[in-house]
Amino acid sequence: MALPLPPIGQQAIDIILEAIASAWEQLQLGYMHVLVMGTEVEISTLLINLMNEALGSDDDGGLGVYVSSVSRGSEQINFNGEKLELRPDIQFALTRLDTRFRLIVECKLIDLKAKKTPALYRDHGIKRFVDGDYAWACQEAIMLAYVRCATSRLEPSVLSGLMGIPDMQCVAQSMQLSSSGLIKPDALGTSSHDRKFQYVPAQAVPPGKIDLWHLWLEV
């Protein structure tokens, strides 16, 4: 099997981001107490349950075309097999992707009062994709933030400054993505990161860059 796998495709990414935003809107209506007081795991679990309930229904927004199931906590290995029990927060099983690999979503709670700062998003989120812990066979993944502080907003300058990576490109572009209006203009961005690890056994093609979609959802 040649690695990295082919790109998933923009349309699939768009629909998955819309599904996450739609599930978030439902949480705001019925589970605000969890969004305000709950843990990252509790919020992620509710999102997953809502998306699985929507799959295959008449109003799933096309999610069932690209996704067969949504899960969390399934164990995975890193690029060279040295780490055996990695557990990404949310995993989308895609209908058109090798079943051994999933679209990975890493979630981070941003709550300054609880000392959960954007640095955590960088050091225990984005870094896992760059280092080959997560999504090492793929060319894209998603970073998801649950934001409890109104002062933390996703803007190109904010994300670029947080990363401090000169070659990273970040563009807020949800207006181009979200026809439903579920995703606010300052809630979505992208970044591209070089990956220095090598596949084992070595292949002719290196892993190359990984494109990350950043979705910041405000409580």
Side-chain angles (χ1 to χ4, degrees):
M1 178 182 59
L3 296 175
L5 298 173
I8 293 170
Q10 186 62 55
Q11 187 172 12
I13 294 290
D14 292 356
I15 288 175
I16 288 169
L17 290 169
E18 289 279 355
I20 295 172
S22 177
W24 182 261
E25 187 177 59
Q26 293 179 63
L27 290 185
Q28 290 179 311
L29 293 174
Y31 295 90
M32 184 56 77
H33 62 290
V34 179
L35 298 184
V36 173
M37 300 297 295
T39 65
E40 176 191 300
V41 171
E42 291 170 337
I43 296 172
S44 297
T45 299
L46 287 173
L47 281 178
I48 290 167
N49 290 343
L50 288 170
M51 287 187 285
N52 277 320
E53 288 176 6
L55 268 175
S57 66
D58 293 336
D59 59 350
D60 74 351
L63 186 65
V65 175
Y66 298 99
V67 175
S68 58
S69 65
V70 191
S71 63
R72 74 168 310 276
S74 300
E75 293 181 356
Q76 295 191 353
I77 63 172
N78 72 330
F79 76 96
N80 62 7
E82 291 183 357
K83 299 178 181 179
L84 303 178
E85 296 184 355
L86 298 172
R87 296 176 181 269
D89 292 316
I90 301 177
Q91 302 173 88
F92 287 86
L94 303 182
T95 57
R96 301 179 183 180
L97 189 67
D98 188 305
T99 55
R100 291 172 293 179
F101 302 101
R102 312 289 175 92
L103 175 65
I104 301 300
V105 181
E106 181 66 2
C107 307
K108 287 291 173 277
L109 182 64
I110 297 180
D111 186 348
L112 299 184
K113 291 182 178 179
K115 297 184 179 180
K116 295 183 180 295
T117 69
L120 186 71
Y121 182 92
R122 174 193 64 208
D123 298 337
H124 296 277
I126 291 176
K127 193 172 185 296
R128 291 174 174 171
F129 294 108
V130 176
D131 291 347
D133 287 345
Y134 293 165
W136 49 268
C138 301
Q139 297 187 47
E140 58 277 289
I142 296 173
M143 283 293 307
L144 180 61
Y146 310 136
V147 182
R148 284 181 178 157
C149 39
T151 56
S152 294
R153 295 180 181 275
L154 181 62
E155 299 174 351
S157 59
V158 171
L159 187 55
S160 297
L162 173 65
M163 296 301 97
I165 301 174
D167 62 354
M168 187 185 71
Q169 299 175 353
C170 175
V171 181
Q173 54 184 332
S174 62
M175 291 301 289
Q176 300 174 21
L177 259 180
S178 180
S179 59
S180 69
L182 288 172
I183 302 176
K184 297 179 181 179
D186 60 355
L188 182 67
T190 64
S191 62
S192 181
H193 305 266
D194 284 326
R195 296 183 288 184
K196 304 299 185 183
F197 63 86
Q198 295 293 324
Y199 290 125
V200 180
Q203 300 196 26
V205 179
K209 291 186 176 183
I210 185 166
D211 294 324
L212 298 181
W213 291 91
H214 303 266
L215 180 59
W216 286 28
L217 300 172
E218 290 187 27
V219 172

